[in-house]
Amino acid sequence: MAFGVKVGKGDAKKAVSRKRRHIRVRKRVAGTAVRPRLVVTRSNRHMVAQVIDDAKGHTLASASSMDTSIRGAEGTKSDQAKQVGSLVAERAKAAGVESVVFDRGGNKYTGRVAAVADAAREAGLKF
């Protein structure tokens, strides 16, 4: 698979695989004004979710596990991911967004990424 991913000396195999998946997903997923893109970014410690209109290049709504309402909360990282999903859905609905297209950012759709998506669906976003 020649996706143009350069492998450096210290790059782990997981990071290269995630980058390949990310390129593969982004070839097909694009947000519009009618149906923006819900992007999920996962680090070892935090989750970030953004609703982006790619046509204009604007972020319409965002939520993070670093927000003050979520940061001090008790629970596991998956519990925090659920809170991020519901918070981004509330903010997106306040911005007038009803349906989105989901961009998992090259991450596998399991664990915390799936928790964000499920919580956003339960809070009323359609995708």
Side-chain angles (χ1 to χ4, degrees):
M1 296 169 96
F3 285 112
V5 177
K6 293 187 178 183
V7 180
K9 254 185 177 177
D11 285 340
K13 186 176 178 183
K14 278 186 181 181
V16 173
S17 298
R18 191 200 68 79
K19 186 69 173 172
R20 282 190 180 133
R21 283 192 303 269
H22 183 67
I23 292 168
R24 200 167 51 229
V25 167
R26 286 292 288 130
K27 279 196 291 187
R28 296 183 180 181
V29 175
T32 62
V34 177
R35 201 163 173 216
R37 179 169 54 107
L38 173 62
V39 186
V40 175
T41 306
R42 181 182 70 86
S43 73
N44 286 337
R45 195 178 281 184
H46 296 291
M47 292 294 292
V48 178
Q50 296 177 322
V51 178
I52 299 175
D53 177 6
D54 286 323
K56 290 185 179 178
H58 291 292
T59 300
L60 305 173
S62 67
S64 169
S65 61
M66 294 175 277
D67 284 347
T68 56
S69 61
I70 299 173
R71 192 171 180 98
E74 295 289 324
T76 63
K77 291 189 281 186
S78 294
D79 295 337
Q80 287 183 351
K82 290 175 188 174
Q83 292 176 349
V84 169
S86 61
L87 186 60
V88 76
E90 288 174 19
R91 291 178 179 174
K93 288 178 76 85
V97 176
E98 293 295 323
S99 67
V100 295
V101 60
F102 189 69
D103 179 6
R104 59 192 168 97
N107 298 302
K108 293 181 180 177
Y109 188 84
T110 186
R112 291 187 287 151
V113 176
V116 170
D118 292 339
R121 277 192 197 101
E122 288 174 9
L125 277 183
K126 293 184 177 109
F127 58 95

